[in-house]
Amino acid sequence: MYYPSIVKKLAMNNDQPFHLAAWVKIGNQYIVGVNSTRCSCKFHRIHPDGTSGFHLHAEMDLLRKLNYPSDVKEINVVRFHKDGRPTMAMPCKYC
């Protein structure tokens, strides 16, 4: 599994129990989003138990940083264990 070193560094330093990062490469630059407790009204969602969610998932954080999200053909997502080993990741139904 390939991922740029900056992706792992940002994911491991997100102060969350789950270490996820989403990234795209545009030209020679990587744009990275990580899961966090930051909130955004643009990504408001209602969970099955009726509660609301505003926290940013890695994919949402990435989309927030892109100027033209429609130009992106593929988003890469990686998840890491607490010890830094890569593991399986699956987007939620909102992502």
Side-chain angles (χ1 to χ4, degrees):
M1 170 189 328
Y2 170 78
Y3 52 86
S5 59
I6 188 68
V7 169
K8 182 175 182 178
K9 180 179 178 182
L10 292 172
M12 295 305 294
N13 292 313
N14 68 355
D15 296 325
Q16 295 294 306
F18 300 102
H19 305 288
L20 284 111
W23 82 93
V24 295
K25 184 174 182 181
I26 298 176
N28 61 353
Q29 167 183 335
Y30 290 100
I31 301 173
V32 182
V34 295
N35 61 318
S36 70
T37 57
R38 286 179 296 181
C39 298
S40 173
C41 294
K42 287 175 25 177
F43 298 109
H44 176 251
R45 57 201 177 276
I46 305 291
H47 297 288
D49 64 359
T51 60
S52 291
F54 292 93
H55 294 107
L56 290 178
H57 292 184
E59 300 90 341
M60 296 172 185
D61 189 37
L62 174 65
L63 290 174
R64 188 179 62 83
K65 294 177 180 180
L66 294 172
N67 292 330
Y68 301 100
S70 60
D71 291 346
V72 174
K73 304 294 183 225
E74 181 178 279
I75 294 176
N76 301 287
V77 179
V78 66
R79 178 176 157 214
F80 298 95
H81 286 286
K82 291 179 184 179
D83 64 4
R85 290 179 296 127
T87 186
M88 299 296 289
M90 184 176 96
C92 74
K93 70 178 184 175
Y94 303 103
C95 293

